[in-house]
Amino acid sequence: MEQYIAYNLALGIVQTSTKRKQEIGQTLAKLLEFQPGPLGADGGIDGVIFNQDGELIHFQSKLSQSKLNVDHAKLLYADIMYHHAVISVVLAGIGYKKTFKERLFAHPYLEKVKIHLLTLVDVLAKTDNYYSALEDLPKLRLFQEIDWKQFR
């Protein structure tokens, strides 16, 4: 998919209701075969799976209309540490502010955690970020099978 088409689709998705975005996050978690968290307040997790070594992989969907900021970085770090995640996949609606990445990666103890910061555009347009995340989560390919019309 062309990036400009992916961007316009992403804009349509992030402009839906909060409830609808939560349903999308839960659907994505199920599609990736994560154990989905509950709708609403989910303790920082939309889904988890455990790898063959029993280590936790964390999925969080934040389909905000604005770029994720420093406060989101603090919460993500806290969730990664609390849940002892070895891989964290975050799906943002629009993207991440520069300060998000600066703050997140300035925290200690993240050197052993793989973090994939994706956007809807990354997933829809299959960007380099998407392909990098595929190395850890091959099931991301299943995003292409989503019928987005179901979320109208």
Side-chain angles (χ1 to χ4, degrees), residues 99-139:
T99 54
F100 173 97
K101 293 178 181 179
E102 289 171 350
R103 177 59 183 249
L104 178 63
F105 295 111
H107 283 108
Y109 311 114
L110 287 180
E111 59 275 350
K112 293 184 180 180
V113 180
K114 282 191 172 182
I115 300 173
H116 297 286
L117 302 176
L118 299 172
T119 66
L120 283 170
V121 172
D122 288 325
V123 171
L124 296 168
K126 298 180 183 175
T127 66
D128 290 343
N129 283 342
Y130 167 81
Y131 285 111
S132 176
L134 274 180
E135 293 175 16
D136 289 315
L137 287 170
K139 292 195 181 281

Side-chain angles (χ1 to χ4, degrees), residues 7-110:
Y7 181 75
N8 285 320
L9 180 55
L11 284 179
I13 292 168
V14 300
Q15 291 174 0
T16 62
S17 70
T18 300
K19 182 177 187 273
R20 182 65 68 207
K21 289 187 277 191
Q22 290 172 347
E23 291 170 352
I24 291 169
Q26 193 174 61
T27 298
L28 298 177
K30 285 179 190 175
L31 181 69
L32 295 172
E33 298 181 3
F34 281 82
Q35 298 166 9
L39 291 176
D42 54 26
I45 290 184
D46 284 318
V48 297
I49 55 174
F50 294 89
N51 66 17
Q52 64 274 13
D53 297 325
E55 299 167 315
L56 186 133
I57 300 171
H58 162 277
F59 174 73
Q60 184 65 49
S61 175
K62 294 284 187 193
L63 302 179
S64 172
Q65 292 184 40
S66 56
K67 291 183 177 186
L68 301 186
N69 62 29
V70 169
D71 292 332
H72 292 106
K74 292 175 189 177
L75 291 172
L76 176 60
Y77 175 74
D79 291 337
I80 290 169
M81 291 295 106
Y82 179 79
H83 297 290
H84 305 286
V86 295
I87 298 174
S88 181
V89 178
V90 181
L91 179 64
I94 299 299
Y96 306 86
K97 289 185 175 183
K98 181 181 175 189
T99 54
F100 173 97
K101 293 178 181 179
E102 289 171 350
R103 177 59 183 249
L104 178 63
F105 295 111
H107 283 108
Y109 311 114
L110 287 180

